[in-house]
Amino acid sequence: MATVIPYYRRWLRRFPNWSSLAKAPRRVVLRHWEGLGYYRRARFLHELARSVVRRFNRQLPSSPETLRSLPGIGDYTAGAIASIAFHVRAPAFDGNVARVMGRLLARHGHAPGWTQLRKAAGQWVPQKDPGTHNQALMELGALVCLPKKPLCPSCPFSRVCPSRKKLPSTSRQKPTPSKERESILVIRQGRTLRLTHEHPHSRWRGLWLLPTLAQAGIAKKTLFQISYPYTRYQITADVIPAPSTGKMIPGRWFNLDQAKRLPLPAPHRKILRLLGIG
Ligand code: SF4
């Protein structure tokens, strides 16, 4: 979280209200989202701003049901917004909260299933100060009731928690990331660089990308490798120089100064930085 705070502050300075975000072109929104990860969220937030301005007179609605009808807002986010911003009695139920509750409600070494936990989460939310309750559970899950080694002696529930000595078994297991390989091409013509919107797996829609191929080991000469996570994948990319002629990649040529100002995904921006052109 500490890493993204400066990016988040920069984002708020540029878009301090719904109107400024709704009015901004998509390209500018994506450019300012750099460093905050998951570009899908930036696209949703942009659509959300437009909905709030158009349908709700620039005021975000407070009911979880209406919030859920808006772009990019699911159960968890609707509950978090309604309870924290508007003091509505609604749960904010996510993986961290499920883990804490599963441990507190465990019986005979087994945590209840997801559906039971979700139901209990709704019943636990108090009328008074529901946002503080939700944030306390989230923080407890993030900082104390850790997935592998919970800090039980520091936990306010340590006297009553049935799991403080032995963690219960759960039905949910975190998937291990799948490994993927790819090649990222650096195609230059003098002081210009070829960029594209195409990606073999349709990732990062709307951003400019260095041309990417879904195979590795396609060239003898590799400049370097980078490794980065993308959703449930851990991707290793060979960064290779490619000739500027031959089979042309759909896209555009940009001079290097222009390329620096375009919205690029973080791994591609890192490549430009490592090449001394970002
Ligand atoms: S006592 Fe331990 S297992 Fe129980 S809620 Fe607290 S940190 Fe989690």
Side-chain angles (χ1 to χ4, degrees), residues 103-104 144-145 150 152 155 158 161 163-164 167:
R103 288 172 177 174
L104 288 169
V144 179
C145 193
C152 299
C155 176
S158 63
C161 177
S163 308
R164 66 191 177 282
L167 297 181

Side-chain angles (χ1 to χ4, degrees), residues 52-250:
V52 170
V53 168
R54 209 176 44 238
R55 290 171 53 196
F56 298 101
N57 195 24
R58 301 192 297 275
Q59 183 65 49
L60 194 65
S62 61
S63 102
E65 295 73 34
T66 315
L67 284 165
R68 271 197 293 271
S69 72
L70 294 172
I73 298 189
D75 282 348
Y76 165 75
T77 313
I81 295 172
S83 63
I84 297 168
F86 300 109
H87 313 289
V88 172
R89 185 172 176 252
F93 182 70
D94 71 348
N96 276 339
V97 171
R99 184 173 62 254
V100 176
M101 292 185 61
R103 288 172 177 174
L104 288 169
L105 295 174
R107 291 289 170 268
H108 310 297
H110 291 284
W114 189 259
T115 313
Q116 279 171 283
L117 290 173
R118 180 193 288 279
K119 190 170 168 212
Q123 292 162 347
W124 279 19
V125 184
Q127 199 71 49
K128 190 174 169 216
D129 226 349
T132 303
H133 165 90
N134 284 339
Q135 290 184 80
L137 273 184
M138 289 179 206
E139 287 291 286
L140 194 69
L143 303 176
V144 179
C145 193
L146 304 174
K148 285 195 180 135
K149 288 195 179 157
L151 310 173
C152 299
S154 319
C155 176
F157 289 117
S158 63
R159 279 165 176 256
V160 293
C161 177
S163 308
R164 66 191 177 282
K165 295 224 167 76
K166 186 170 183 319
L167 297 181
S169 60
T170 57
S171 47
R172 287 165 57 85
Q173 281 189 343
K174 205 176 168 201
T176 46
S178 311
K179 291 187 177 164
E180 245 187 31
R181 297 285 310 271
E182 66 183 18
S183 299
I184 297 181
L185 312 182
V186 179
I187 307 176
R188 291 180 69 169
Q189 223 173 43
R191 284 196 50 80
T192 62
L193 183 69
R194 188 85 182 161
L195 296 175
T196 178
H197 280 314
E198 308 281 323
H199 186 278
H201 302 303
S202 306
R203 289 173 188 158
W204 293 310
R205 280 181 298 119
L207 301 193
W208 285 101
L209 312 170
L210 291 160
T212 303
L213 303 174
Q215 313 113 285
I218 58 169
K220 283 194 188 131
K221 190 176 168 207
T222 300
L223 294 169
F224 49 82
Q225 274 189 339
I226 64 159
S227 180
Y228 63 93
Y230 182 90
T231 61
R232 63 187 183 83
Y233 299 100
Q234 184 62 37
I235 298 164
T236 304
D238 293 340
V239 180
I240 55 180
S244 61
T245 52
K247 194 177 168 205
M248 190 45 73
I249 306 266

